[in-house]
Every structure is written in structure tokens, then in C-alpha cells.
Amino acid sequence: MVKASVLRKKNEEQLNKDLEEFRKNLAELKFNKASASQQMKVSKLRTVRKDIARVLTVLNTMKKDEAREKYAKAKYQPLDLRAKKTRKIRRKMTRHQRRATTLKERKRAENFPQRTFAVMQ
Amino acid sequence: MGRPPRAPKRVYKKKATEENKEGDNKAAKAKAVLTRGRFLKGKHKVWTTATFRRPKTLAQARTPKYLRHSTLKAGTVNKYSVIEYPLVGESASKLMEDQNTLVFIVNLKSTKPDIKRTFKERFNVDIRKVNTLIRPDGKKKAFITLKGEQAAVELGSKIGII
């Protein structure tokens, strides 16, 4: 069984090679199981499948991270790199848009702010 | 469709002076375009059929401003996913001995050329033909006939089918 922490240290080429190896392994195990000519440990099937899943996970997350770096400064980001939140929230106005005011409003607010008065005893 | 509607004909009065001539011509032309529409020569297309088919217009290729998916996910289809496992029953062994054929359960979505290609890659044997069928339990069965005498029995014992 491979550990993900070990896999993360490898590069894409090595991971692809590992993937090929695991898949070959799995194929042989499946053949063995079907031919039933030898006693085999059936639990091995599961571990190999999970190993393959681990390699694929690491590969895909690596690619995703690379993509994030690549599109970090882009004007339009690919959809899966944008914030997911909820559909409703994505369609709302941004904070900047909500707080936008006209020049007139700003001037008025600056020159005629809301005053508070107190009655002196 | 048809012609654009025609305004009543007008007589354009021009001053005959040299200086004004060009400017007046331009002005006159512009006025004509406005009143009579673009087709000053009055050409119109002759329709020879009863049906009107949508004319082919410019279709431009997409130039997207951003990708919809940033990465291509590592795929699950590979040379080991096509052939799943061999069948070993009595009929399978009979086929192996008599017809030089091996029987496999194969991925449901794989095609005969796929099967042929991956089999050759995996076992380095020449194939005469592949027949497939889909079993009632939803799995695809492939009958792979090999070239060369006794090739099936040889390969079978190597794989472990015997």
C-alpha cells in the first residue's frame, strides 16, 4: 500500500508510471481470480484499487494546483477555479458594487453629514 | 422579402457652380440613399424556387475568453481496462482446444478493434478475429481467435486458464 504523502513528492511522469504498474497488477489479479487455478488473497484486489485511486487523486490535485497558479492573474478564470459558494451568491452584486455611490452622494455625505445634537442641562 | 419600398422619384436641384459640384454630388447621393434605400440601381434577385431556404452566413470558430474546465482529468480508460478476465468453463476450454479461441469478459464499452489492439499489446500474440456478444447479465463476452496452431492452448496455460 502506498502512502499519499510519498506520492506527492513524485512528479507527473513518475506518477503515471506508478499508475501503469498498479493497473497492470490489478489486471493480473483479476485474471488470477477468474482462473481460480491458484489460491489467491482476494484482499489484494481492494488494496490495489485503492492505490490506483490514491495515485489518480494526487495526479489530479497536482494538475489543479498548476492550473490555479497559471490562471491566478488572468482576467477570466476557468469556471472550476472560480469560487463555488452557491448559485444565488454568485449572481449577487459584489461588495464593491453594493457600496458604490455617485459622486453627488459622496459630496452630499461629506458636506452635510448627519448631525447629532444634545440638550445641555 | 423583395424590393425595399421606393420613395416617389424626386428631381434634385443642383447649383451648377464648379466649387459646389463635388459636395453637391455627395449630398445628393446621401439624400438618395436615405429616401430610396441602399439599392440605388434597383436590382432585385429573381426567385426561381417556391421555397425559401436559410442562406448560409459566416460561421466563425469559437475563441473562448476562458476555459470551462481548467484541466483534463486523468482518464479511466487504459490498455488494462478493456479486457477484464478470462472465462474458464468447459465450453471455454473446448473452444481453446478445438477452435484456437480464448474467451474473455471484456469492458462493455469496448469495440472489436479496441479488443484486438489491447490484446496484442498485452500478450504479444497475433489475432485472426474477434467475435463479441453481450450476455444476459449485461457483460460483454469476447471470443478471440488466434493465429498459429495451438496458440490458444499455449497462451491459456501461460495466463493460468488451464
Side-chain angles (χ1 to χ4, degrees):
Chain A
M1 200 204 82
V2 230
K3 284 201 151 201
S5 52
V6 171
L7 290 172
R8 275 185 233 281
K9 297 199 181 119
K10 300 188 177 181
N11 66 15
E12 196 175 319
E13 207 186 300
Q14 291 174 313
L15 286 172
N16 278 321
K17 252 178 56 191
D18 284 345
L19 192 60
E20 172 90 17
E21 222 182 276
F22 283 131
R23 282 188 169 146
K24 189 168 184 215
N25 235 341
L26 186 65
E28 281 171 19
L29 283 171
K30 281 193 180 173
F31 264 46
N32 284 340
K33 179 169 179 238
S35 50
S37 56
Q38 332 151 354
Q39 278 285 353
M40 70 168 283
K41 268 192 160 187
V42 197
S43 61
K44 268 188 144 193
L45 270 171
R46 185 164 190 268
T47 51
V48 179
R49 269 206 327 257
K50 299 301 169 183
D51 286 335
I52 292 174
R54 233 168 265 127
V55 176
L56 282 173
T57 307
V58 172
L59 262 173
N60 285 326
T61 49
M62 252 173 60
K63 283 190 186 171
K64 201 68 173 283
D65 289 339
E66 275 173 30
R68 271 189 210 281
E69 269 180 52
K70 183 177 167 194
Y71 292 107
K73 298 264 172 85
K75 187 176 183 194
Y76 297 112
Q77 291 204 324
L79 296 180
D80 54 339
L81 299 184
R82 300 188 195 183
K84 174 78 176 170
K85 301 206 171 177
T86 69
R87 191 164 196 259
K88 194 173 181 182
I89 293 174
R90 274 179 267 140
R91 279 153 186 67
K92 287 197 169 153
M93 284 203 277
T94 63
R95 196 154 176 266
H96 179 81
Q97 287 167 342
R98 274 188 302 239
R99 293 159 108 230
T101 50
T102 56
L103 185 61
K104 187 177 181 179
E105 275 177 28
R106 273 180 269 144
K107 281 189 172 175
R108 181 180 285 155
E110 195 180 320
N111 292 311
F112 307 106
Q114 184 66 35
R115 312 305 312 251
T116 47
F117 298 100
V119 175
M120 301 297 281
Q121 282 295 345
Chain B
M1 270 287 178
R3 298 159 159 199
R6 288 237 187 138
K9 265 191 178 173
R10 280 200 196 147
V11 179
Y12 304 107
K13 291 179 183 168
K14 290 183 224 176
K15 284 176 199 165
T17 54
E18 288 287 322
E19 297 161 12
N20 291 345
K21 225 183 191 174
E22 207 195 280
D24 278 353
N25 268 334
K26 272 196 180 173
K29 228 182 180 179
K31 195 171 184 181
V33 169
L34 284 173
T35 50
R36 289 174 53 182
R38 276 174 182 273
F39 308 98
L40 287 180
K41 287 198 177 169
K43 263 195 224 162
H44 73 97
K45 200 171 178 178
V46 177
W47 300 108
T48 54
T49 55
T51 52
F52 176 75
R53 310 296 324 250
R54 176 176 65 79
K56 291 214 164 98
T57 52
L58 177 64
Q60 292 184 322
R62 288 194 186 205
T63 50
K65 290 209 167 123
Y66 57 89
L67 294 172
R68 313 300 137 163
H69 296 285
S70 58
T71 49
L72 281 177
K73 253 190 164 179
T76 47
V77 179
N78 56 79
K79 75 178 184 198
Y80 298 109
S81 69
V82 175
I83 300 173
E84 295 187 0
Y85 55 88
L87 285 178
V88 292
E90 275 181 22
S91 53
S93 358
K94 200 162 179 215
L95 278 169
M96 197 164 55
E97 288 161 22
D98 299 346
Q99 312 274 0
N100 205 18
T101 309
L102 293 170
V103 190
F104 290 89
I105 293 294
V106 131
N107 190 318
L108 190 61
K109 294 210 173 149
S110 52
T111 59
K112 285 181 189 177
D114 282 344
I115 297 167
K116 192 168 183 182
R117 193 171 23 95
T118 49
F119 194 86
K120 278 190 179 179
E121 259 191 71
R122 220 167 135 179
F123 302 111
N124 268 315
V125 204
D126 269 332
I127 295 180
R128 175 165 290 122
K129 66 170 172 169
V130 177
N131 293 79
T132 56
L133 64 82
I134 299 184
R135 290 155 120 205
D137 71 355
K139 299 197 180 159
K140 194 174 246 181
K141 192 196 280 188
F143 301 87
I144 303 175
T145 310
L146 306 175
K147 286 188 189 167
E149 297 290 324
Q150 296 297 311
V153 182
E154 271 175 44
L155 188 55
S157 54
K158 199 160 74 157
I159 293 175
I161 299 176
I162 315 245

